[in-house]
Amino acid sequence: MLRPFLHYGAHFLLPLAIAILFYKPKYLKVYLIFLCGFLIDLDHLWSTPIFHPNRCSINFHFLHSYYAIIVYLLLVVPKITRLLGIGLICHIIADSLDCFMMGI
């Protein structure tokens, strides 16, 4: 019961905390951009089954691969893509936390 709470809490609260701490004047807009990081979960549609509660997403789905993670890290460098990159990295951190809690 604790694992889904921490996993989904990290998906929503980590980006919110970063938005409030570092982008206070426009935190709501920044938070919404961070939440666009959820779009990488579209790669679950190519899996069978689409959702499996005990599957680690990291390096299983193609948008959660190590190569994709390198691209997400590089997106943080240019100012124009920084917010999207941070949102994607927050998503990967939340999924990594889930994998860690599964013992993988």
Side-chain angles (χ1 to χ4, degrees):
M1 187 65 186
L2 180 64
R3 193 178 116 217
F5 176 76
L6 288 176
H7 175 74
Y8 292 108
H11 268 301
F12 290 100
L13 297 178
L14 178 62
L16 180 61
I18 292 171
I20 290 173
L21 286 173
F22 297 104
Y23 300 95
K24 191 153 186 111
K26 52 185 175 183
Y27 81 93
L28 188 56
K29 180 180 177 182
V30 169
Y31 179 60
L32 292 174
I33 294 170
F34 285 168
L35 290 183
C36 289
F38 276 110
L39 291 173
I40 66 171
D41 277 340
L42 289 173
D43 63 359
H44 290 248
L45 296 174
W46 282 269
S47 300
T48 304
I50 291 173
F51 173 75
H52 188 283
N54 293 319
R55 177 171 57 209
C56 178
S57 294
I58 303 300
N59 214 36
F60 183 84
H61 303 291
F62 63 91
L63 293 177
H64 292 72
S65 69
Y66 296 134
Y67 297 113
I69 293 169
I70 291 169
V71 172
Y72 304 152
L73 289 169
L74 293 173
L75 286 174
V76 175
V77 178
K79 190 173 182 177
I80 194 165
T81 58
R82 184 167 296 148
L83 295 179
L84 181 60
I86 292 170
L88 291 166
I89 291 169
C90 287
H91 183 97
I92 294 296
I93 289 170
D95 284 355
S96 297
L97 174 66
D98 193 47
C99 294
F100 176 75
M101 292 184 70
M102 281 190 280
I104 295 175

